[in-house]
Amino acid sequence: MDEASKDERSLSSRYGYSFKNTFAIKKSVFVRDVRYTILPALSLQGFIAVDIMEGSCTKERFREFVISNVVC
């Protein structure tokens, strides 16, 4: 099982290279948009369960996903 998320900032790099004694600068527009979280459960036979939700995943939501979709 793994967790992944995606929003409009997913493709932005946080690190860069620059000349000595200068800062790396990247100009971009700040976007605060909807964030999606994907919870997949995989086995050797393929996907067992997938849950896609809007926003971040909480501990309770993850626990519910495991108990209702993976264990049962």
Side-chain angles (χ1 to χ4, degrees):
M1 294 188 331
D2 194 10
E3 177 186 6
S5 63
K6 196 263 182 232
D7 61 9
E8 293 301 320
R9 298 176 292 165
S10 295
L11 297 177
S12 297
S13 176
R14 294 183 183 188
Y15 302 99
Y17 297 95
S18 67
F19 292 109
K20 192 173 185 176
N21 296 324
T22 61
F23 291 106
I25 298 173
K26 178 185 175 189
K27 294 183 180 183
S28 63
V29 176
F30 179 76
V31 177
R32 180 166 292 182
D33 203 9
V34 179
R35 181 181 193 91
Y36 293 97
T37 301
I38 305 162
L39 292 174
L42 298 169
S43 72
L44 293 175
Q45 290 77 28
F47 284 101
I48 296 173
V50 175
D51 190 11
I52 301 173
M53 65 191 81
E54 189 174 310
S56 298
C57 183
T58 61
K59 178 174 63 173
E60 292 81 20
R61 179 91 185 247
F62 182 76
R63 184 175 178 271
E64 179 185 319
F65 169 75
V66 172
I67 291 172
S68 63
N69 295 316
V70 179
V71 177
C72 296

